Amino acid sequence: MKFQKDNTFLSGRLKSVTFAVKGALKLIATEHSIMVQFSLAILMTIAGFCFNITKTEWLFQIVSIGLVMSIEGLNTAVEKVADFIHPDYHERIGFIKDISAGAVLFAAVTAIIIGLIIYTPKFL
């Protein structure tokens, strides 16, 4: 079966959004790291309502959640491609996967710091 690109603006965009939603749902349903991040996102959203955070704090929290979830999704994609290309352990593939995981770490640490800046004063 040959893939035919949809060149019409509206239906092409709708198909793209459909594929994106499908991919996001696959990530949430199948990848444990995304499940954890998604659960934390829900908890932090509930915390935001409970602590009545400001509009600016909401913006930082939403960007942090989006950043971590996005980088985690990209990390998963890199790992899946690497495993497809070379299913057995290979030093170079391991190096690539480590770098990808490191990007997630940067995003997660940034989100934790932002969370601490937002919520620590609420407890003091």
Side-chain angles (χ1 to χ4, degrees):
M1 180 174 144
K2 186 177 177 189
F3 178 75
Q4 178 102 13
K5 184 175 180 178
D6 188 344
N7 290 322
T8 59
F9 180 76
L10 187 57
S11 64
R13 298 309 62 82
L14 288 173
K15 284 181 183 176
S16 294
V17 169
T18 302
F19 292 141
V21 169
K22 204 165 151 184
L25 293 174
K26 281 182 185 177
L27 273 169
I28 293 168
T30 62
E31 298 301 319
H32 291 108
S33 56
I34 291 286
M35 290 176 196
V36 170
Q37 299 297 346
F38 188 70
S39 299
L40 289 171
I42 291 170
L43 287 174
M44 295 312 297
T45 301
I46 292 168
F49 286 113
C50 291
F51 288 101
N52 199 28
I53 63 176
T54 68
K55 186 186 290 186
T56 304
E57 290 169 333
W58 272 114
L59 292 173
F60 278 103
Q61 180 166 301
I62 290 166
V63 168
S64 296
I65 289 169
L67 175 70
V68 172
M69 297 283 290
S70 298
I71 301 297
E72 190 71 65
L74 290 172
N75 177 53
T76 299
V78 166
E79 288 183 355
K80 298 289 184 194
V81 169
D83 289 343
F84 178 77
I85 291 170
H86 206 292
D88 298 325
Y89 176 78
H90 190 280
E91 190 175 327
R92 285 184 178 168
I93 295 290
F95 181 77
I96 292 166
K97 290 167 92 172
D98 288 348
I99 290 171
S100 184
V104 176
L105 180 64
F106 286 139
V109 168
T110 300
I112 289 167
I113 292 168
I114 289 170
L116 288 171
I117 290 168
I118 293 171
Y119 290 102
T120 299
K122 315 276 187 221
F123 289 102
L124 298 179

